[in-house]
C-alpha cells in the first residue's frame, strides 16, 4: 500500500497554482513546509528526505496527470505548471483550509495507491468522500 504525505502534496499543488512567472522549485517548497511545521511545534521529517520526496511527487503528479506544463500565455517559464482538472479535484479533497478534509485523506489512505489515475478518478467521483 502506497502512503503519501498529503500536507506536502497540498503545499506543492498550492505552489503550482501560484507559479506563474517563476520556476517551480519543489525542494525549496519542502524546506519552507518543514520550517512552517517546525515553527508550529510539529515534528518534521528528515529535511533531505522531504526535499527528495517533493521532487518525486513533482514527477508523479506530472506523469499521472495532476499537473501539466504551464502554457506561455499563462506565464510559463519553461519550468512551471498548472493544475489539471484531476489536480484541482485532488487539491479540493486534501486542502487543509477546508473543514472536514480529514475524511477525504482517510479515504485516500485506504486505497492501494490513491494517486493511481483510475483509482483516484473513481474515489473522487463518489459524492460521499467530500
Amino acid at each position: 500500500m502506497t502512503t503519501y504525505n498529503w500536507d506536502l502534496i497540498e503545499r506543492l499543488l498550492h505552489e503550482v497554482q501560484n507559479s506563474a512567472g517563476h520556476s517551480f522549485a519543489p525542494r525549496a517548497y519542502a524546506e519552507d513546509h518543514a520550517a512552517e511545521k517546525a515553527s508550529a511545534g510539529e515534528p518534521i521529517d528528515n529535511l533531505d528526505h522531504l526535499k527528495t520526496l517533493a521532487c518525486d511527487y513533482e514527477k508523479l503528479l506530472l506523469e499521472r496527470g495532476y499537473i501539466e506544463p504551464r502554457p506561455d500565455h499563462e506565464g510559463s517559464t519553461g519550468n512551471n505548471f498548472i493544475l489539471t482538472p484531476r489536480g484541482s479535484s485532488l487539491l479540493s479533497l486534501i486542502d487543509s483550509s477546508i473543514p472536514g478534509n480529514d475524511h477525504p485523506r482517510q479515504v485516500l489512505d485506504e486505497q492501494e495507491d490513491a494517486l493511481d489515475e483510475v483509482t483516484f478518478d473513481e474515489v473522487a467521483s463518489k459524492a460521499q468522500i467530500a
Side-chain angles (χ1 to χ4, degrees):
M1 202 162 194
T2 304
T3 57
Y4 292 102
N5 180 329
W6 296 119
D7 290 336
L8 181 57
I9 290 174
E10 176 189 357
R11 175 62 181 255
L12 294 174
L13 294 175
H14 277 297
E15 294 294 346
V16 164
Q17 285 183 315
N18 301 320
S19 69
H22 60 87
S23 294
F24 189 74
R27 293 176 63 80
Y29 305 143
E31 199 168 307
D32 292 345
H33 174 71
E36 288 171 10
K37 286 184 72 142
S39 69
E42 296 179 40
I44 59 166
D45 296 329
N46 174 290
L47 185 57
D48 288 334
H49 172 71
L50 202 59
K51 288 179 179 181
T52 300
L53 189 58
C55 292
D56 292 345
Y57 284 163
E58 174 190 18
K59 181 180 177 188
L60 182 117
L61 293 168
L62 182 60
E63 288 175 347
R64 295 192 179 176
Y66 293 90
I67 61 176
E68 63 187 17
R70 183 174 290 276
D72 289 337
H73 68 278
E74 290 188 25
S76 176
T77 63
N79 190 27
N80 58 358
F81 307 99
I82 58 171
L83 295 177
T84 64
R86 181 180 288 137
S88 293
S89 178
L90 174 60
L91 182 55
S92 71
L93 288 176
I94 66 170
D95 195 328
S96 60
S97 68
I98 299 172
N101 77 315
D102 290 344
H103 177 68
R105 287 181 180 204
Q106 179 184 350
V107 171
L108 290 170
D109 282 340
E110 292 169 356
Q111 308 308 308
E112 185 65 32
D113 182 352
L115 294 182
D116 171 77
E117 302 95 309
V118 173
T119 301
F120 178 79
D121 291 347
E122 180 181 321
V123 170
S125 71
K126 296 179 180 176
Q128 68 270 27
I129 188 174

